[in-house]
Amino acid sequence: ATGVRLRFKFGGTMESTESVHTGQANSDAAWFANAKYLLSDPQGQARVKLQEKIMLSPVVVGVSESQAKVLGWDQPEVARKVTWNVIAKAAQSGQLKYALSNPATSNQGFMSLMGVVASAAQKSEALTAADVDRAAISGFIKGYKLVGDNSSYLSEKFIEQQNTRVNAFINYESWLLSLNQSGKLKEKLTLIYPHEGVATADYPLMLLNDAKREQYQKVVAYLKGDAAQTWLAKTTLRRPVNAEVAKAQTSLFPQDSMLVELPFSTDRALADGLINAYLNEFRTPIASTFVLDVSGSMNQGGRRQQLVEALQYIAGDDASLTGRIARLTSREKVWMLPFSEQVYAPVFFQLPGVPKGAATGKGLATQADSEGKQKVLGQVRDFAESLQMTGGTALYDAVLKALVNMNEERQKNPGYQYSVVAFTDGEVNKGRDMAQFKAAYAALPEDVRAIPVFMVLFGEANEAALKDLVATTGGRVFDARKSSLYSVFKDIRAYQ
């Protein structure tokens, strides 16, 4: 329509923000859900030459209609008065069990935490790290039952688990309205617009390369024009920024909701402190088994070194935003389970928690790693370096053993977020085949279905077979054939 050809590179909000912030994006423009974090310091501001809002969608809470009735939120006069504080208390009491994108990697997850912070502090302007009520965040997180890094994955899982494991979905209004229209839900969602304010994604298109200003302006003019805004509103259920189109399309959106904008704090210490505290203190701690292919083919093409570097990376000290997300966190339990033509004994590591008394009351202060934590991280790095590669590939035996191990642990210690992460570079040529794996999996207790398996594909691994495996167990396949293995680790960590 404009004569300007666009090529897209996709990534999570925080990961993409960091690539622009550091100058590594190598892009002419950026198009995020919101740019507030990027523009909260002079370095980010210097990268962005122009920006224009394209569409609007607030972060709201979708609650299964039956649960909204239990809470009394099905009554419009009550729903209008529901605050983030009320939502946090419903989560703490076990009445609200929600799906949400990871607050450390996504805008909607992070802004939900900010809503709770603002509500508990009874102020939305000029929030600082000192205003954070740790008990309010901790209570809100008790209801966080379904973690993921993107809305597509979370929607798929929410549809499967609605009214069993979860009864609410915190996401953009557009996404929840689309789910309600999809016919896939067990029951529709009642949308709650928190009383003290919502964070609205305004989808700014940002010019990074001033030499492309003319092309940028053509694209912006098109996207803000009547035809594109009407198409976007009807297709994606995002609200138009074009006032005339917004007036013409009012029937697409709820009309009795209050849309007060929650201000974004420019205190970077609050943003970074909240992400750090979420990862190391507030969230349900992670327990996972890393299933590691140490077959002979791993000696080829630098694959062993890639695996060693990736494991050392998550046990390292990368202070960047995505580095902090990828890193092993306080309270985490990890079993390293190597396999070749046989499955070896798992090696267990547990990271200590934050010292008692350091995580109480109000305010956020980033805690330096304790000596105990540094020691365990060093042990993980040493373990990775000691890996030797030989023999065949009994992947399905190894994944089955990991699932059995995780399910037993889950029965003993239910207060963890359990998962299996498996790496393989080749075809399965030893032990069970896929049919035998599926039969063995079907014989496991029903509880094992709550443990997702994340598969990492590299080398000559069979993509179709791995997708078949995660279709059985739940989870996702991550492709490390065209990117570094440690960058894939960053993606996986957002799902744990």
Side-chain angles (χ1 to χ4, degrees), residues 60 63 97 161 163 166 182 206 276 302 409 452 487:
V60 299
V63 185
K97 299 177 285 188
Q161 301 175 18
N163 297 345
V166 282
S182 70
M206 296 171 283
N276 187 68
E409 286 293 328
S487 70

Side-chain angles (χ1 to χ4, degrees), residues 136-180:
I137 294 284
S138 184
F140 175 64
I141 294 295
K142 280 191 168 66
Y144 191 7
K145 302 300 182 186
L146 185 49
V147 183
D149 187 46
N150 68 63
S151 297
S152 299
Y153 171 84
L154 282 171
S155 295
E156 184 185 309
K157 296 298 167 194
F158 183 82
I159 289 163
E160 286 173 13
Q161 301 175 18
Q162 186 182 16
N163 297 345
T164 52
R165 193 163 170 233
V166 282
N167 57 22
F169 197 170
I170 304 176
N171 206 310
Y172 296 121
E173 174 194 59
S174 57
W175 201 268
L176 300 179
L177 290 174
S178 297
L179 268 182
N180 272 349

Side-chain angles (χ1 to χ4, degrees), residues 371-391:
E371 279 186 31
K373 186 172 180 179
Q374 288 177 9
K375 182 181 176 184
V376 177
L377 292 171
Q379 289 169 346
V380 173
R381 293 195 295 271
D382 291 344
F383 166 83
E385 193 59 61
S386 73
L387 290 172
Q388 300 299 316
M389 313 304 185
T390 183

Side-chain angles (χ1 to χ4, degrees), residues 58-82 84 87 96-99 158 162-163 166-181 185-194 254 256-257:
V59 176
V60 299
V61 184
V63 185
S64 291
E65 285 178 342
S66 58
Q67 189 60 24
K69 196 168 186 177
V70 169
L71 291 161
W73 298 355
D74 58 325
Q75 303 298 318
E77 63 278 8
V78 176
R80 276 193 290 271
K81 294 175 185 171
V82 173
W84 279 111
I87 291 161
L96 203 68
K97 299 177 285 188
Y98 58 87
F158 183 82
Q162 186 182 16
N163 297 345
V166 282
N167 57 22
F169 197 170
I170 304 176
N171 206 310
Y172 296 121
E173 174 194 59
S174 57
W175 201 268
L176 300 179
L177 290 174
S178 297
L179 268 182
N180 272 349
Q181 284 188 6
L185 294 173
K186 293 184 178 74
E187 59 180 271
K188 285 192 173 182
L189 301 171
T190 298
L191 268 53
I192 303 296
Y193 295 74
D256 57 352
S257 52

